[in-house]
C-alpha cells in the first residue's frame, strides 16, 4: 500500500505545525489539546482509509471472442470480503494494456457483497495479455492522503487481430471476390457473363441475340454450383526489417479469412507450422487464435504448395522463394500479396458477388 499526501493534507499538516509551535511557545493547555486532536484526526483518517482498501478483490467478465481495434463491453466485479465494514469512495484505474479506457468510481461497497459494473474495453493490438495491473485508491474520509493498492489480475486474455475493414481492405476484398467468382465460373444457374464460343461446348447455351449482334458465336456462362474454396498461405519467413509488413499481412489474413468464412466459402489456412481445413479440422476462431499469437520465423522451411483446384491467396514478403520451391504463382487461381503489390496499389477485376457488409463477431 502506498500513500500520497494531498494538497489538503499539506495544509492540515501546516496547521498542525503552527498550532504545535504556538502551544510550546505559550504553554497553553488548550493549544496542546487542539494539537492532540488534530494529530488524532490525521491518524484516524489513515487508519480508516487503510480499512476501506483492505479485503477488496477484483475480477473481469469478458466476452469469449475479443477483436483488436473494436470497442466492446465487459463487466468488472469487485468483492468486499470484509463482512463487517463497507468500503467508501473507491476509485479503480488500470494500466494501458488492461483495456479499461476510463477510471471507475464506487461511492460505497457494502461489506460481504459484490458489485458489478459495465465497462467499455478497447485493445489496440493483437496478442496475449497475461498480467493486467489495476489500482484501488481512496481519499476517504477527510482527503488528507490518497492511499493506493496495485492489484495484478493473473489471467490470460487473448486478443484476435482486427476483423474490421482497415484502409484498403474493402477494396482488396471486393477485388478478390471478383477473381474468385471468375475462377469458379461454370455451368450453374446464376448468370455470370456472355463470352465467345469454345470448341466442343453445347449449343444449348448459345446466346443468339449476342451472336447476331457480334457476328460470332456467343454463349451464356453461369456461376458454378459447387461450393467455392479459398486457400490462405501466410509465409512466416520474415526478417526483422519487414516486421511492420508482417503485422499488416496478419491483419489482412484475419480480415479476409473472417469474411470468406462468413460468406459460406470453404477455407484452408496454412503456414510453415499449421495446415487446417475449415470446417472439417477447425473453425474460423481457431485461425484467429493462431493469428493472435503468430510471429515471424526467419529461416523456417517452406510448406508444400496448396491444392491447385482452389483459389489461393498468398501472403509473402519474398514471392521469388515460393517460385523457386515450385509454387505456380503465375496461375489464374493465385493472388500474391506482398510489399511490392502494396506499393503498387490494389487492382483487380470488378466484384461479382454481394456487397461488403461490416462483420459482426459474436460476443463483441
Amino acid at each position: 500500500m502506498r500513500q500520497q499526501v494531498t494538497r489538503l493534507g499539506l495544509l492540515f499538516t501546516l496547521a498542525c505545525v503552527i498550532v504545535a509551535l504556538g502551544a510550546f511557545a505559550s504553554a497553553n493547555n488548550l493549544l496542546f489539546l487542539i494539537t492532540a486532536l488534530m494529530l488524532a484526526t490525521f491518524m484516524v483518517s489513515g487508519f480508516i482509509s487503510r480499512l476501506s482498501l483492505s479485503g477488496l478483490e477484483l475480477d473481469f467478465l469478458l466476452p469469449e471472442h475479443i477483436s483488436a481495434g473494436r470497442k466492446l463491453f465487459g463487466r468488472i466485479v469487485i468483492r468486499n470480503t470484509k463482512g463487517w465494514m463497507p468500503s467508501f469512495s473507491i476509485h479503480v484505474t488500470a494500466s494501458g494494456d488492461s483495456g479499461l479506457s476510463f477510471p471507475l468510481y464506487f461511492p460505497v461497497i457494502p461489506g460481504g457483497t459484490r458489485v458489478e459494473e459495465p465497462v467499455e474495453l478497447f485493445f489496440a493490438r493483437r496478442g496475449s495479455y497475461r498480467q493486467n495491473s489495476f489500482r484501488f485508491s481512496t481519499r476517504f474520509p477527510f482527503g488528507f492522503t490518497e492511499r493506493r493498492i496495485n492489484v495484478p489480475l493473473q489471467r490470460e486474455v487473448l486478443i484476435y487481430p482486427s476483423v474490421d475493414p482497415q484502409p484498403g481492405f474493402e477494396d482488396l476484398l471486393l477485388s478478390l471476390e471478383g477473381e474468385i467468382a471468375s475462377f469458379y465460373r461454370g455451368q450453374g444457374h446464376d448468370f455470370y457473363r456472355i463470352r465467345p464460343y469454345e470448341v466442343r461446348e453445347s449449343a444449348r447455351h448459345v446466346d443468339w441475340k449476342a451472336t447476331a449482334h457480334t457476328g460470332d458465336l456467343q454463349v451464356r456462362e453461369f456461376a458454378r454450383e459447387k461450393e467455392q474454396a479459398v486457400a490462405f498461405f501466410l509465409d512466416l519467413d520474415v526478417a526483422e526489417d519487414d516486421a511492420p509488413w508482417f503485422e499488416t499481412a496478419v491483419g489482412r489474413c484475419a480480415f479476409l479469412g473472417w469474411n470468406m468464412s462468413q460468406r459460406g466459402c470453404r477455407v484452408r489456412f496454412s503456414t510453415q507450422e499449421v495446415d487446417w481445413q475449415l470446417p472439417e479440422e477447425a473453425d474460423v476462431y481457431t485461425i484467429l487464435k493462431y493469428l493472435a499469437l503468430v510471429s515471424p520465423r526467419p529461416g523456417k522451411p517452406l510448406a508444400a504448395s496448396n491444392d491447385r483446384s482452389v483459389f489461393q491467396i498468398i501472403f509473402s514478403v519474398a514471392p521469388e522463394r515460393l517460385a523457386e520451391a515450385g509454387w505456380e504463382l503465375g496461375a489464374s487461381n493465385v493472388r500474391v500479396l506482398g510489399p511490392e503489390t502494396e506499393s503498387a496499389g490494389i487492382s483487380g477485376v470488378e466484384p461479382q458477388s454481394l456487397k461488403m457488409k461490416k462483420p459482426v463477431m459474436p460476443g463483441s
Side-chain angles (χ1 to χ4, degrees), residues 27 32 59 172 190 202 331 339 359:
F32 277 109
D59 197 5
L172 175 61
D190 296 329
S202 174

Side-chain angles (χ1 to χ4, degrees), residues 79-289:
R79 298 180 181 87
N80 186 358
T81 59
K82 302 187 299 294
W84 59 277
M85 180 180 175
S87 295
F88 298 96
S89 188
I90 302 298
H91 295 262
V92 180
T93 56
S95 63
D97 293 336
S98 65
L100 184 62
S101 305
F102 304 100
L104 299 176
Y105 175 70
F106 298 88
V108 59
I109 305 176
T113 62
R114 53 178 281 172
V115 178
E116 291 190 18
E117 186 75 16
V119 293
E120 183 181 277
L121 303 175
F122 179 83
F123 295 91
R125 63 182 187 276
R126 68 181 179 94
S128 175
Y129 295 75
R130 298 182 181 273
Q131 180 171 338
N132 305 311
S133 179
F134 295 86
R135 184 176 69 187
F136 291 118
S137 63
T138 183
R139 294 186 178 185
F140 185 82
F142 303 123
F144 296 152
T145 60
E146 181 183 74
R147 293 187 179 270
R148 300 188 293 260
I149 293 181
N150 292 324
V151 181
L153 183 63
Q154 301 289 348
R155 173 186 292 181
E156 181 178 7
V157 180
L158 192 63
I159 308 301
Y160 302 153
S162 175
V163 296
D164 294 325
Q166 305 298 320
F169 282 24
E170 288 184 333
D171 295 336
L172 175 61
L173 176 62
L174 295 176
S175 173
L176 289 172
E177 284 180 340
E179 296 182 23
I180 294 171
S182 177
F183 175 71
Y184 282 102
R185 67 182 186 272
Q187 305 299 325
H189 298 290
D190 296 329
F191 176 75
Y192 179 70
R193 66 172 179 173
I194 295 178
R195 59 170 178 80
Y197 175 84
E198 295 179 2
V199 180
R200 295 182 180 178
E201 284 191 315
S202 174
R204 63 190 181 91
H205 296 297
V206 174
D207 189 296
W208 298 108
K209 291 184 178 180
T211 299
H213 181 71
T214 60
D216 297 320
L217 281 176
Q218 304 289 321
V219 296
R220 289 178 173 268
E221 191 173 79
F222 299 87
R224 187 180 298 177
E225 290 181 342
K226 68 175 291 187
E227 189 176 17
Q228 295 182 354
V230 181
F232 293 90
F233 176 75
L234 178 63
D235 188 4
L236 303 182
D237 190 358
V238 178
E240 294 183 0
D241 296 340
D242 297 311
W245 174 86
F246 183 78
E247 288 298 319
T248 302
V250 170
R252 287 188 172 184
C253 190
F255 172 76
L256 295 175
W258 171 261
N259 280 275
M260 295 297 180
S261 64
Q262 295 301 301
R263 297 171 188 229
C265 292
R266 297 177 63 86
V267 175
R268 180 180 180 182
F269 175 80
S270 59
T271 66
Q272 285 94 327
E273 298 177 331
V274 300
D275 189 357
W276 292 317
Q277 186 79 35
L278 275 63
E280 292 84 0
E281 301 174 354
D283 57 17
V284 66
Y285 294 111
T286 304
I287 297 177
L288 292 178
K289 290 177 181 177

Side-chain angles (χ1 to χ4, degrees), residues 179 183 305-314 323 326-336:
E179 296 182 23
F183 175 71
S305 177
N306 286 338
D307 188 359
R308 294 178 176 82
S309 63
V310 302
F311 192 89
Q312 303 178 48
I313 302 175
I314 300 173
W327 289 63
E328 297 182 3
L329 303 184
S332 60
N333 65 321
V334 176
R335 180 70 177 272
V336 180

